[in-house]
Amino acid sequence: MTTLRPDAGTAGVTRSAAGTRGETGGRPTVVGTPARRREDDRLLRGRGRFVADLRLPGQAQAVFVRSTEPHALLRAVDVSAARGDRRAVAVLSAADFPGGPPLLPSASGPVPGLPTAQPALATDRVRYVGEPVAVVVAADRYAAEDLADLVRVDYAPLPVVADLDAALRPGAPTLHPRAADQPGGPPGTPARGDDGAARDDSAGRGSAPGWGDNVEQVVRAVRGDVTAALAAAPLTFSVRLSIARQAGAPMETRGVVADWDRAAGRLTVWTPTQIPHGMRDAVAAALGLPADAVRVVLPDVGGAFGTKMQPYPEEFVVAWLSRLLGRPVGWVEDRAEHTVATVHGRDQHHDVEVGHDASGRILAIRDRMASDIGAYSFTNAAVEAIATPAAVPGLYRVPAYAAESLAVFTNKTPAGPFRGVGAAPATFVMERIVDLVAAQVGVDPAEVRLRNLIGPDELPYGPRTTLHLTQGSMPWPPHDSGDYPGLLRRALDLVGYRDLRREQAQRRASDPAGPLFGVGLGMFVEPSGDGKPELARLRVDEYGVVEVAAGLAPSGQGHETMLAQIVADELRIPLDDVVVRLGDTDRLRWGAGTMASRSAAVGGGAVRLAARALVERAVPVAARLLGVPASAVALTEHGFGRTDGTGAALDWASVAQAAGPTTGTGELAAEAEFRPAGIPFGYGVHVSVVEVDPGTGVVTALRHRAFDDCGTVLNPMMLAGQVHGGIGFAIGNALFEELPYTDDGFPLAGAAGYPLPTVSSMPADVWVAHAQAPAPPAAGRGGGDVKGAGEGGVIGGTAAIANAVADALAHRPGPPPARTPARTPAGTGAGGTLAFPSLPGIVGPEAVTRIPLTPPEVLRLLRAQPSPATGVPAAYPANTPDRRHAPNPGLSRG
Amino acid sequence: MSEHPVEVTVNGTRHRLDVPARLSLADLLREHLGLTGTHLGCEQGRCGSCTVLLSGEPVRGCLVLAVQADGAEVTTVEGVAADGTLDRVQSALREHHGLQCGFCTPGIVLTLRHLLDLPAPPGRDDLVAALDGHLCRCTGYVNILRAAESLIGPAPSERS
Amino acid sequence: MKPAPFDYRSPATLDDVVTALAEQPGARVLAGGQSLLPALARRALRPPLLVDLRAVPGLDRIDRTSQATLFIGARVTQRQIERDHALAGECPLLAETIRRVGHPQTRTRGTLVGGLAHADPAAELPALLVALDGVVHARGPRGDRRIGADAFYLGPGRTALAPDEVAVAVEIPSATTTPSPAVPTGTPGDAGGGTDDTGDLAVGGACVEVAPRATVALCGALATVARRADGTVAAARIALFGVAARPVRARRAERAVLDGGPLDPALIALLTREDLDAARAADAELPDGEGGTNGASGTNGAAGAGADGGDYCREVAGELVHRAIDRALVAAR
């Protein structure tokens, strides 16, 4: 454990300006300093170029006709009136694609070639409101929307599967029935002849039920013998924890401009994506083109957060249209479309059984979870279902653990990743479990954490969990390094945790009718990257300017600045001599992209390696120019010189000019791949302080503290910005973000309706600090000891806020109000196809078990009768076998 | 539907155009005048990205018809740093890292610019009330507010 | 999200506005447009013609009579009201409420009268009309008429305005006017009645909302009170929004305030519940379909709550009323 660096406001950042972090050879390093962003100037002047800003000569605009039904057979798609309009450039439905519209990839599906993949335009059946059915093209968006109004779609509604419980109920209607089960003939995917063989195959899903149900796949995570451990645990309880359907909701919606160059036989696609190379390959496949016939170029991207991490139907169709029409075609999603056409996330139930002892040590957890993945095996639809199960135990020991995770189809917009995918719901579940255990045994939640955290001497921890996917099993990567209890202790000290508890007691005593004051903790690990490699390429031009290309695709994080800082230090050149150009697939052979908190840890590593390779390329050239052996050449802050310090200095420009013949490439350039040997785990703790209005259930977040360890800090200003943004997500995710649907499958969110936080939703007092405990320089880490930090804010923050609300409610004074009907206990509810034999010790209806904690939800909790044990710290009776399953008479009631 | 003549002064330059009645001021700026710094995030008046100054007052560019702007003066983000150097609102946002993806930023620049131009200096509550009219998904607003506060005087003594 | 095509006229006189509305069925009046334009962009409304009031003189004024009655013209923006500092004394509830409407950037153009005519039952302004016992002045081909707050709202997005009528102004009686509790309905005829102790009374207003996110309220209560020098209450009017298909006047709670005595939260909650049940019963009697609709359809209601605010808003209505009264009484000291 090293020092925490409080970053209290920008003043603090400014004070730690260049030079404070260490110097090499007299030159201050820029890594570790709050270098101002090179992206900002153009963005502040309105000169950013986003996809909606592109207007190529002759560019037409597309608008999609979308399903207004959640589930229906398509009787007819009549485009004749639209085609007859003189303003129509083109109007297409699925019938206009020879061989059918391209299918979306199903990268997260259980097996390749799924019949549950989505066609880019609906063929004979629609499965969610918002599904693209037809496309119209006109000179501008106004006219195109007029034409879209003219397309007539005749729907024959089918029974709707509106949520997890409905989808899993025995006899539920199925979204993707087997041909034999299909009412009125075979399922309508005539375009997918090649996939026909897969249709009657259920083997792909392991032991899961056949295609006759709504389960796309089942994922399991196993650590130890959970059945035995639960049976042996002195105390147990069970609870259902849920997270609503939520979304990444970037300020910029999606969009694409495609330009087919008929002469060159080549397509250029401008689109805000996190995966330029992946998009290139997907579009090429969809159009039947070789990959090098497609170039993807990244414009400025107005936020992505995972929503732009996969191809969508619109990119395929717009690219197709451009080739068909021989002119540029653009499409920009509007906000009303965005809420139904861009992936959703979360939307999980967890039926959890917990075994622990009287001191609060957690001995076993079984989690039967289900994730609503929406209507199709969309590209990454099951990613939350796959990424959650193994992540639940987090940074706690939990000797025995088992999870079964169902990816479930419903008639909703397909799911996909957004910030904190898997980790955020897993952490909410685990952190609630820890607090429930604390309440059961009457020990402070901070102390219970200390009793369960993996100790520094136990790291690296694992691999202990095995993840079983349909096509194989893999160990969950081990946690690499850190000091979890040390960070928690420091954080508790810095926030004055004891003082907060004192303040809470005082408030309760002095103003029993006033706002309820709560303090919550949220601890998390943040896996940095998904193990995928990344590529970087550096080139020096004849003026000595270093151009950096990498597979990363920024969407506001500041990669242009961060990568330049790394390169400037490695090459010992001024920041201004580095130019970062990302997101052009013609500049780099391949790239993975920006996701999973990997850009600094993995992308930065690749750039660092490429910089070192560049030096290796340059040294022989410099040696030749200096007339000394390569071993006598040193890299200096002026370029190159002799190691003995004598003689002339050579600048980078001179070396670059002389490099051609030597390197054989005609330029001084180097490329490097970084293949991470493992996954670095950032970690941290968030402390949230909230007030709950007992009369209305409104939660006000008062203070928020974040402490994390993400290894070496590259740019403290930008790092704090990432954490702040994550806390913003956490406020929304924990308190009000939700995409509600009616019971019959219609989205309720209005045109501008997804409820994002505003400035006054935020705690007035936000404070972020970083422990720089450098990750051990493990092999293959690219010489960096950087861990990711883009997601920790939402992962830890959401749990901390939820726990703070729970804490406030648990500390409510006075007699409870009139009893309201108890919430259905876990696993026994109507439609409880997830039902399992619940252990006694049902958590009471007043416990926080679902986010977001909207005023109605909190009011419901306030009006529920608390269990007598809640908030009453009391020594628990000795573990006697006969009481094993009834730890607390109050808690086992109902 | 006939076209309507509109005369509007944008960032000091007068323009005369014939526009359809349904054209929004934001689309007039973006599509007809090439001023794409005015971003459309929701077209429902909620997100604030399209905020411009109309006769000196902040408005949603998506909630004003071009015909309603006839005879008015409009300032867009492109008109803020007219002399080439960043305006102090822009500088404060840069110094305090008050932007990430930058999509919402132009609207925020104009809202803050307007507040600073009011006869009475704004207080912190005024800043919060005005910034509540802007959605940002990147920053958690923390540094936007710090940047705004830096413009109205010394920061509160200690942010613990 | 672009509007369907429409035509646009900007007449120079009110009579020409009325003529244009009468000539083109389905035409809509455009004032600030801050509620209308979002509905147009969604194509939730497709009027063939917008009739802009921008060139009509005289509608941009706030006038006062000697009885301290306010007349606020149809083009008076919410920003104008915010900046009219005299209003804070004359009608504290108006000043208090207007700054919660939309955002500062929509208040630049949004008008008070437009917000009234938009008739969103989950928004503040219709409830403000009810709480202030305001009177809408309308002009149509059949002449001018005054429509009292009680008669103005017919349901979400629906008002008593005929399609060819335009709301010209709203008349707000002096906050110190004290209609007799025996005449509970503030019809236009008796709006000026009651005792008027102008000068001797202190007026206070409060708008209390549940707004988990600052800019979108789920529901709320508005109260205005006038107190005599001895602290007794001479006048009290209370309205709720987000709880029914129309704004709801909390008359029983008003009477409890006028009766004096300590305000028992449980009693206020009970009385509010009765008012709410009565209002919802009355809503159920409303005719369906297109009535007078010179306001946009659709509501501002938060997700999960219907136009009537759902069970949650019903649950907290009494609490909100209690708080609103409490704060208004404090402000009227």
Side-chain angles (χ1 to χ4, degrees):
Chain A
M1 194 74 226
T2 59
T3 53
L4 281 169
R5 284 165 40 110
D7 157 32
T10 312
V13 170
T14 310
R15 278 196 299 275
S16 64
T20 57
R21 217 188 86 74
E23 305 183 348
T24 46
R27 180 185 172 278
T29 57
V30 286
V31 163
T33 68
R36 298 305 186 259
R37 300 197 331 158
R38 7 179 82 200
E39 293 87 345
D40 288 355
D41 190 81
R42 66 174 186 270
L43 296 171
L44 284 161
R45 295 174 189 272
R47 290 185 193 152
R49 195 172 61 161
F50 297 88
V51 69
D53 304 336
L54 299 175
R55 286 292 174 276
L56 304 183
Q59 179 180 328
Q61 290 299 117
V63 162
F64 285 81
V65 177
R66 298 181 183 278
S67 173
T68 54
E69 287 291 321
H71 200 189
L73 293 175
L74 277 182
R75 279 213 200 92
V77 181
D78 178 4
V79 298
S80 54
R83 272 194 189 139
D85 191 294
R86 60 179 170 77
R87 296 172 295 170
V89 174
V91 185
L92 300 187
S93 69
D96 298 305
F97 287 76
L103 292 176
L104 272 291
S106 51
S108 70
V111 292
L114 288 173
T116 50
Q118 179 173 345
L121 290 177
T123 51
D124 71 332
R125 185 164 168 153
V126 290
R127 292 179 174 85
Y128 63 94
V129 172
E131 181 171 352
V133 172
V135 64
V136 300
V137 184
D140 63 53
R141 174 97 195 184
Y142 287 82
E145 287 196 23
D146 296 345
L147 297 177
D149 278 352
L150 299 176
V151 175
R152 296 273 165 264
V153 184
D154 184 10
Y155 299 101
L158 293 166
V160 171
V161 175
D163 58 28
L164 284 171
D165 283 339
L168 293 171
R169 198 169 286 146
T174 49
L175 270 77
H176 300 278
R178 286 174 294 213
D181 300 341
Q182 175 93 338
T189 49
R192 306 182 215 167
D194 292 351
D195 297 324
R199 193 177 314 284
D200 51 18
D201 160 41
S202 62
R205 295 186 304 160
S207 58
W211 286 114
D213 62 27
N214 290 311
V215 178
E216 190 221 36
Q217 64 182 302
V218 182
V219 178
R220 292 188 175 80
V222 178
R223 172 194 293 184
D225 183 347
V226 80
T227 306
L230 277 173
L235 302 169
T236 60
F237 65 89
S238 54
V239 63
R240 167 171 281 198
L241 296 161
S242 321
I243 303 110
R245 199 170 192 81
Q246 302 180 323
M251 294 316 301
E252 182 209 31
T253 55
R254 294 186 295 114
V256 57
V257 173
D259 183 18
W260 175 253
D261 180 338
R262 196 167 278 172
R266 203 153 188 264
L267 182 77
T268 304
V269 177
W270 290 263
T271 187
T273 179
Q274 297 168 246
I275 50 160
H277 289 85
M279 183 68 76
R280 175 194 67 183
D281 297 347
V283 169
L287 270 61
L289 295 168
D292 71 3
V294 178
R295 175 187 181 196
V296 170
V297 182
L298 193 72
D300 279 314
V301 182
F305 312 114
T307 63
K308 297 171 180 171
M309 201 182 124
Q310 47 271 313
Y312 283 83
E314 294 88 354
E315 286 117 25
F316 292 179
V317 173
V318 169
W320 189 288
L321 281 166
S322 179
R323 183 174 61 175
L324 180 78
L325 300 171
R327 64 189 277 189
V329 179
W331 167 76
V332 177
E333 185 182 56
D334 70 26
R335 186 58 59 179
E337 291 181 283
H338 181 82
T339 50
V340 294
T342 291
V343 295
H344 301 164
R346 314 289 195 255
D347 205 349
Q348 293 183 337
H349 287 170
H350 294 251
D351 287 325
V352 172
E353 300 158 273
V354 180
H356 59 98
D357 69 16
S359 72
R361 276 192 191 83
I362 296 168
L363 305 172
I365 296 174
R366 175 153 53 203
D367 185 347
R368 303 190 193 206
M369 65 185 79
S371 304
D372 183 334
I373 68 168
Y376 289 96
S377 295
F378 205 71
T379 309
N380 292 312
V383 65
E384 202 107 60
I386 293 169
T388 307
V392 168
L395 28 59
Y396 302 100
R397 285 190 199 94
V398 191
Y401 172 75
E404 181 180 82
S405 172
L406 308 185
V408 180
F409 292 121
T410 66
N411 289 117
K412 292 180 183 166
T413 298
F418 82 85
R419 203 171 197 171
V421 60
T427 301
F428 164 73
V429 166
M430 189 63 204
E431 291 297 292
R432 283 305 297 138
I433 288 173
V434 173
D435 273 23
L436 289 167
V437 167
Q440 299 261 28
V441 300
V443 175
D444 187 277
E447 177 57 31
V448 171
R449 280 177 176 74
L450 289 169
R451 291 176 190 176
N452 285 286
L453 285 168
I454 299 164
D457 48 341
E458 296 171 86
L459 292 175
Y461 190 78
R464 304 205 175 196
T465 307
T466 305
L467 188 64
H468 300 285
L469 301 166
T470 303
Q471 288 192 296
S473 302
M474 56 180 276
W476 192 245
H479 293 198
D480 54 342
S481 62
D483 182 352
Y484 305 159
L487 185 74
L488 176 59
R489 285 198 191 90
R490 283 288 291 138
L492 295 173
D493 278 353
L494 279 169
V495 300
Y497 186 73
R498 283 196 193 136
D499 292 341
L500 285 173
R501 288 290 177 208
R502 226 171 279 136
E503 183 180 353
Q504 184 173 39
Q506 278 163 6
R507 283 192 183 216
R508 200 171 9 144
S510 63
D511 186 11
L516 306 170
F517 185 86
V519 181
L521 301 172
M523 295 196 71
F524 67 94
V525 286
E526 177 178 7
S528 319
D530 41 17
K532 281 187 206 148
E534 192 53 273
L535 182 70
R537 185 170 193 279
L538 267 59
R539 185 180 74 92
V540 190
D541 72 13
E542 60 196 87
Y543 305 102
V545 174
V546 179
E547 181 194 83
V548 182
L552 306 178
S555 47
Q557 300 89 339
H559 291 2
E560 289 174 37
T561 307
M562 177 268 288
L563 296 178
Q565 285 181 270
I566 292 173
V567 170
D569 272 7
E570 288 292 333
L571 303 184
R572 304 183 66 183
I573 57 178
L575 260 184
D576 287 348
D577 287 358
V578 186
V579 175
V580 178
R581 295 208 169 90
L582 302 173
D584 181 341
T585 58
D586 273 6
R587 281 183 188 275
L588 202 66
R589 292 178 292 125
W590 61 266
T594 286
M595 66 207 67
S597 303
R598 71 190 297 276
S599 292
V602 185
V607 165
R608 183 176 280 112
L609 292 182
R612 290 177 187 172
L614 185 73
V615 172
E616 281 177 28
R617 292 269 178 113
V619 163
V621 184
R624 180 165 55 81
L625 293 175
L626 291 170
V628 297
S631 59
V633 172
L635 180 68
T636 74
E637 59 199 286
H638 306 292
F640 297 88
R642 295 187 188 184
T643 46
D644 62 9
T646 64
L650 269 178
D651 60 16
W652 276 92
S654 312
V655 179
Q657 285 159 17
T662 310
T663 61
T665 61
E667 59 182 1
L668 180 56
E671 194 179 84
E673 245 178 53
F674 176 39
R675 297 191 168 272
I679 293 184
F681 280 76
Y683 62 97
V685 55
H686 283 234
V687 186
S688 165
V689 180
V690 304
E691 241 175 38
V692 176
D693 181 335
T696 62
V698 171
V699 177
T700 305
L702 301 174
R703 290 170 237 172
H704 200 106
R705 307 276 189 257
F707 305 89
D708 62 34
D709 175 2
C710 47
T712 297
V713 173
L714 297 173
N715 181 320
M717 179 188 81
M718 284 165 30
L719 171 60
Q722 285 297 307
V723 181
H724 294 158
I727 294 169
F729 264 73
I731 290 285
N733 282 194
L735 298 182
F736 42 71
E737 287 181 26
E738 185 163 11
L739 283 159
Y741 277 73
T742 64
D743 289 345
D744 49 359
F746 291 88
L748 278 167
Y754 188 68
L756 293 175
T758 66
V759 65
S760 58
S761 314
M762 295 296 292
D765 188 358
V766 176
W767 194 84
V768 174
H770 312 287
Q772 296 201 61
R781 195 152 286 137
D785 43 22
V786 175
K787 297 177 173 188
E791 299 176 279
V794 66
I795 298 169
T798 306
I801 296 161
N803 276 341
V805 174
D807 185 60
L809 296 177
H811 286 85
R812 85 189 94 169
R819 171 116 183 135
T820 54
R823 168 169 255 223
T824 308
T828 61
T833 45
L834 279 178
F836 56 91
S838 288
L839 298 173
I842 300 294
V843 169
E846 79 291 355
V848 167
T849 56
R850 180 181 191 275
I851 48 175
L853 289 154
T854 60
E857 172 72 1
V858 175
L859 193 73
R860 184 186 71 73
L861 296 169
L862 281 163
R863 305 254 158 119
Q865 189 174 349
S867 307
T870 306
V872 183
Y876 183 71
N879 310 338
T880 52
D882 54 315
R883 290 188 57 101
R884 204 158 55 78
H885 288 311
N888 183 318
L891 287 172
S892 62
R893 166 172 53 91
Chain B
M1 300 291 161
S2 56
E3 303 244 312
H4 301 262
V6 168
E7 184 177 310
V8 59
T9 302
V10 180
N11 301 331
T13 304
R14 183 176 297 187
H15 302 271
R16 287 197 183 86
L17 305 92
D18 289 325
V19 299
R22 61 172 164 166
L23 185 75
S24 71
L25 174 59
D27 280 331
L28 172 82
L29 297 168
R30 290 178 52 81
E31 307 293 337
H32 294 251
L33 304 183
L35 296 170
T36 55
T38 300
H39 298 148
L40 289 171
C42 74
E43 297 176 274
Q44 290 287 296
R46 293 281 180 86
C47 77
S49 298
C50 67
T51 300
V52 297
L53 302 185
L54 184 70
S55 303
E57 294 278 337
V59 299
R60 303 300 201 216
C62 71
L63 296 191
V64 180
L65 296 174
V67 289
Q68 291 179 290
D70 184 31
E73 288 202 18
V74 178
T75 305
T76 71
V77 68
E78 289 92 343
V80 171
D83 66 354
T85 56
L86 290 181
D87 178 80
R88 67 191 185 105
V89 170
Q90 294 166 318
S91 294
L93 286 166
R94 179 177 150 87
E95 278 307 298
H96 292 265
H97 190 30
L99 67 154
Q100 288 182 29
C101 80
F103 193 83
C104 69
T105 306
I108 289 172
V109 166
L110 290 161
T111 281
L112 291 176
R113 187 60 260 164
H114 165 256
L115 277 182
L116 296 180
D117 288 342
L118 289 176
R124 188 180 185 278
D125 290 348
D126 300 316
L127 297 177
V128 170
L131 290 172
D132 261 336
H134 292 275
L135 295 179
C136 167
R137 191 58 156 164
C138 292
T139 64
Y141 306 100
V142 177
N143 287 342
I144 295 175
L145 193 57
R146 286 177 186 167
E149 286 172 336
S150 78
L151 293 165
I152 62 167
S157 55
E158 191 49 52
R159 193 177 295 284
S160 64
Chain C
M1 226 189 293
K2 309 294 181 191
F6 52 78
D7 214 336
Y8 171 85
R9 276 190 242 168
S10 177
T13 71
L14 215 43
D15 287 339
D16 288 346
V17 169
V18 170
T19 304
L21 290 174
E23 281 173 3
Q24 181 64 270
R28 290 255 170 182
V29 174
L30 174 65
Q34 302 301 287
S35 301
L36 181 59
L37 295 191
L40 296 183
R42 296 193 301 270
R43 301 196 175 203
L45 293 175
R46 296 162 183 258
L49 170 69
L50 293 191
V51 184
D52 197 342
L53 300 183
R54 72 192 302 253
V56 178
L59 298 182
D60 57 352
R61 291 208 310 269
I62 302 174
D63 294 324
R64 282 111 170 145
T65 68
S66 54
Q67 270 77 45
T69 301
L70 293 165
F71 290 89
I72 299 178
R75 281 175 51 211
V76 172
T77 63
Q78 294 151 12
R79 174 65 34 76
Q80 248 177 294
I81 294 170
E82 274 184 280
R83 289 194 179 152
D84 189 329
H85 296 298
L87 284 174
E90 293 165 318
C91 190
L93 181 60
L94 174 61
E96 171 85 358
T97 305
I98 207 79
R99 63 186 179 83
R100 296 168 192 271
V101 175
H103 318 112
Q105 298 85 354
T106 60
R107 296 199 292 271
T108 302
R109 294 188 65 79
T111 62
L112 171 62
V113 172
L116 301 179
H118 185 57
D120 179 352
E124 294 89 352
L125 290 180
L128 180 69
L129 181 74
V130 170
L132 294 177
D133 234 356
V135 178
V136 175
H137 290 226
R139 176 167 299 184
R142 295 160 299 282
D144 293 349
R145 65 176 179 134
R146 304 163 77 236
I147 310 167
D150 287 3
F152 191 65
Y153 291 109
L154 302 180
R158 296 168 54 209
T159 70
L161 289 170
D164 54 2
E165 275 185 314
V166 54
V168 175
V170 60
E171 170 189 341
I172 298 173
S174 161
T176 57
T177 301
T178 56
S180 157
V183 187
T185 53
T187 54
D190 59 27
T195 325
D196 189 353
D197 332 62
T198 308
D200 300 319
L201 297 177
V203 182
C207 171
V208 175
E209 332 183 299
V210 177
R213 297 188 305 127
T215 52
V216 185
L218 286 166
C219 49
L222 283 63
T224 177
V225 298
R227 301 179 90 172
R228 301 185 188 91
D230 63 359
T232 56
V233 179
R237 285 193 294 269
I238 303 162
L240 287 151
F241 66 89
V243 294
R246 299 178 285 179
V248 173
R249 178 114 175 240
R251 294 181 192 285
R252 290 171 178 83
E254 287 174 11
R255 261 177 234 137
V257 177
L258 287 168
D259 288 348
L263 285 176
D264 174 21
L267 174 67
I268 295 295
L270 184 73
L271 295 173
T272 303
R273 176 68 63 96
E274 288 176 13
D275 281 322
L276 213 48
D277 288 346
R280 288 187 177 183
D283 285 352
E285 305 293 311
L286 288 170
D288 286 338
E290 296 303 308
T293 54
N294 233 338
S297 63
T299 75
N300 219 13
D308 64 358
D311 291 340
Y312 169 78
C313 292
R314 180 186 151 92
E315 282 280 301
V316 297
E319 177 75 23
L320 298 176
V321 167
H322 182 258
R323 289 182 191 185
I325 295 168
D326 201 45
R327 287 183 202 173
L329 286 172
V330 169
R333 252 174 213 148

